[in-house]
Amino acid sequence: MKTSYDVIVIGAGPAGLAAAIYAARARLRTLVVDESVPGGQVKTTHKVSNYPGFPEDVSGKDLAGAFAAQAQRFGARLAKAVEITSHDLAGPEKRLVLDEEEEVVAPAVVVATGAKPRELGVPGESRFRGRGISYCATCDGAYFDGKDIHVVGGGNSAVEETLFLTQFARTVTVVHQFDEFQAEPASVQEALANPKIRTLLSHEPRAFQGELALERLEVEDLKTKERKVLPTDGVFVFVGMKPRTELLEGLVPLAPGGYVETSDAMETRVPGLFVAGDIRVKRFRQITTAVADGTIAALAAQRYVKEHRR
């Protein structure tokens, strides 16, 4: 089965859904493809406090649901939990095959696949992933009720998720490689005032240990080079994100770190191929900046489709 669209959006996070809203509202036949349910990273965020229009905190899940509902209201089709089994994004007609069954084509594609949690790459990490090691506090925090856990990282995500984890854990020890946190001062102040939160600065993980599940975390003091093994019930890792550029490898040049360079109009060097959100090179990565990227990409795609129709 082959279905034609004007615009295909790959990724249903804030950038992708914003692009879908603008494209569908412009009466372009719009398809959004995602390997999961809509929302991207936002759907796993326990609360959002800085998105304009919400004077009170809103859960990430609710905000993501509102984005998706708005896109559908304007006529965008959302293909959820599907796998792109083959693709050709280089030619004038972009082509995807979904779940080895449906072929979809369009002159314009917006890639908004976002980023995924960056791993530490230390021994035992892959073995204990899902068995004591997690990268999502909202997803797994409740499993550690009354437990003593560790968080690795010191940026905004690490500190915010540490505060969230105190709802469940008995203690949360933050392991950070620097002498001070890189998070926003207000969040750091709140964390340091929380009696459940402890800090282990100037330390880095060196190994995860255990039998059937994670039981111990080995860390190194970066100043003395001394290593010690700490008992733990679980470790949450928040050390940044890795852009999901698998669909674009060999097609567009990638900057250091794997991010995609675009024009101000979110264009790549491939005509009709646009990129938006956390996958692209930019200084700040917030929900609002992702939405802005998606908006610009959709407007540029709309102009491209109009010219393509001539």
Side-chain angles (χ1 to χ4, degrees):
M1 181 173 61
K2 179 177 178 180
T3 310
S4 297
Y5 293 90
D6 295 314
V7 177
I8 297 174
V9 180
I10 305 175
L17 291 173
I21 289 168
Y22 271 79
R25 192 168 183 271
R27 297 186 177 180
L28 298 178
R29 292 166 296 172
T30 304
L31 170 68
V32 183
V33 178
D34 198 279
E35 65 182 8
S36 181
V37 296
Q41 297 175 55
V42 172
K43 67 177 180 284
T44 63
T45 302
H46 67 284
K47 68 176 181 178
V48 177
S49 304
N50 55 2
Y51 193 79
F54 292 86
E56 302 296 332
D57 294 342
V58 58
S59 76
K61 182 179 178 181
D62 289 346
L63 185 59
F67 287 160
Q70 191 172 5
Q72 288 178 301
R73 181 167 73 90
F74 290 123
R77 175 195 166 197
L78 268 59
K80 311 171 188 176
V82 297
E83 180 184 1
I84 298 174
T85 48
S86 68
H87 66 279
D88 180 4
L89 303 178
E93 181 180 74
K94 313 294 189 277
R95 171 184 170 274
L96 304 176
V97 176
L98 310 179
D99 291 335
E100 299 183 348
E101 295 180 352
E102 181 183 6
E103 181 181 5
V104 293
V105 297
V109 167
V110 177
V111 179
T113 43
K116 60 183 177 181
R118 191 175 296 278
E119 297 181 353
L120 295 168
V122 302
E125 184 174 12
S126 59
R127 178 186 174 192
F128 293 112
R129 180 168 186 159
R131 292 190 290 169
I133 297 178
S134 175
Y135 304 82
C136 177
T138 308
C139 308
D140 300 324
Y143 295 116
F144 296 88
D145 192 31
K147 304 293 186 179
D148 298 306
I149 63 176
H150 290 73
V151 166
V152 180
N156 285 321
S157 294
V159 173
E160 290 170 6
E161 301 297 2
T162 294
L163 288 165
F164 173 73
L165 288 166
T166 60
Q167 298 179 55
F168 309 102
R170 181 170 61 182
T171 64
V172 184
T173 302
V174 183
V175 181
H176 187 40
Q177 62 181 328
F178 300 119
D179 287 333
E180 58 184 26
F181 294 103
Q182 276 67 55
E184 295 176 352
S187 297
V188 173
Q189 185 176 2
E190 183 181 355
L192 295 178
N194 191 307
K196 287 189 173 184
I197 297 176
R198 304 168 182 177
T199 60
L200 194 60
L201 301 178
S202 298
H203 281 72
E204 281 188 345
R206 289 292 177 259
F208 297 100
Q209 304 170 1
E211 299 302 324
L212 298 178
L214 179 67
E215 298 172 355
R216 299 175 298 278
L217 171 64
E218 181 179 348
V219 299
E220 179 181 335
D221 187 320
L222 298 180
K223 294 181 177 179
T224 67
K225 304 304 179 183
E226 176 189 1
R227 292 197 180 192
K228 51 190 172 185
V229 177
L230 310 172
T232 188
D233 294 313
V235 174
F236 286 79
V237 179
F238 304 109
V239 292
M241 307 298 290
K242 180 180 179 180
R244 307 193 65 177
T245 56
E246 295 86 355
L247 293 174
L248 300 174
E249 290 177 358
L251 189 60
V252 299
L254 303 179
Y259 295 95
V260 182
E261 293 185 352
T262 69
S263 70
D264 290 343
M266 307 298 140
E267 301 160 313
T268 68
R269 70 178 186 181
V270 177
L273 182 61
F274 305 86
V275 167
D278 286 357
I279 192 176
R280 64 179 290 265
V281 173
K282 57 181 180 177
R283 184 172 183 180
F284 300 111
R285 291 180 172 82
Q286 297 289 309
I287 302 174
T288 48
T289 62
V291 168
D293 284 357
T295 301
I296 295 168
L299 293 173
Q302 179 183 351
R303 176 175 293 183
Y304 179 83
V305 170
K306 184 177 179 180
E307 294 174 351
H308 181 82
R309 286 173 173 170
R310 291 177 181 173

